[in-house]
Amino acid sequence: MVNSAAVKQYDDYLFDVVHQALTFAYRYSGQQYSPSVLAQFMARSGGSGKGLSGLDGAAQAGLIRAMIDRLPMQERHIIAARFSANECESVGARLALLPVAICCMGTGCHSTRAADALLQKWFGLKLNIHDVADMYGIQRNAVSPAWRNVRESMKQIWERAEEGAFRELQRSGLIP
């Protein structure tokens, strides 16, 4: 049996999880498309949406982004690099993380381009680490530990960012 009070309370939140809220905030565009006739009709008939369109949606996206701006710099950048639909913002955020990647690569392996390639790999670029070694003139036995260090460093920053975003969004009542 479903507890209707619990369902009602859960429905009061705008988003179910942190990723949903961040995806909305970083990819919201009030000018995405004009609503279809069917969408306009459903909106008048009291559809199940949460009112996140137009100025309300833009304001909500701005509020979420302002909450994320309270996080430390690296955490803000990793969230923007992962969620932003704006390529300039995404690339800028990745570039801001580049010094972190270079620092954690270890001695003897300080190629900015290799660090950028490994960082892009962490964000999902399909890339073989041995190809990175060949492209940037790095010893193959040096690129594996460098990748491991970059991956671990970005993972730690991401976990802190995700935890901070969760704290901020939950405190504001946007997620359960």
Side-chain angles (χ1 to χ4, degrees):
M1 189 97 211
V2 176
N3 183 348
S4 62
V7 170
K8 170 71 173 117
Q9 181 183 5
Y10 191 71
D11 284 343
D12 288 344
Y13 296 105
L14 284 177
F15 304 99
D16 299 332
V17 291
V18 173
H19 291 268
Q20 190 180 35
L22 293 175
T23 300
F24 173 79
Y26 281 88
R27 297 188 181 166
Y28 179 81
S29 172
Q31 298 176 355
Q32 290 173 334
Y33 53 86
S34 60
S36 66
V37 174
L38 182 60
Q40 292 173 5
F41 175 74
M42 292 202 52
R44 277 188 252 130
S45 66
S48 61
K50 296 188 179 188
L52 294 177
S53 62
L55 290 177
D56 290 340
Q60 191 62 60
L63 288 171
I64 292 169
R65 289 182 68 132
M67 289 176 212
I68 299 306
D69 283 346
R70 295 181 199 151
L71 299 177
M73 181 185 67
Q74 292 175 351
E75 296 169 23
R76 289 191 315 258
H77 288 308
I78 206 162
I79 288 172
R82 176 161 283 184
F83 288 100
S84 182
N86 180 330
E87 189 174 353
C88 288
E89 181 180 25
S90 181
V91 169
R94 272 200 324 264
L95 285 174
L97 292 168
L98 194 55
V100 176
I102 292 170
C103 288
C104 69
M105 285 178 66
T107 59
C109 187
H110 291 285
S111 168
T112 303
R113 290 182 176 172
D116 183 45
L118 294 176
L119 197 56
Q120 288 183 49
K121 179 174 175 56
W122 191 83
F123 281 106
L125 180 66
K126 302 292 183 203
L127 188 63
N128 184 315
I129 59 170
H130 295 298
D131 291 341
V132 171
D134 294 341
M135 284 189 294
Y136 302 112
I138 301 170
Q139 296 280 331
R140 282 187 169 206
N141 60 353
V143 81
S144 291
W147 166 237
R148 188 172 38 253
N149 292 342
V150 168
R151 186 178 62 220
E152 185 58 34
S153 179
M154 292 302 120
K155 180 182 171 208
Q156 289 174 2
I157 294 169
W158 172 248
E159 288 172 353
R160 288 192 315 262
E162 194 174 37
E163 184 179 310
F166 177 81
R167 226 181 12 256
E168 290 290 333
L169 293 170
Q170 190 176 49
R171 185 178 5 201
S172 68
L174 292 175
I175 60 173

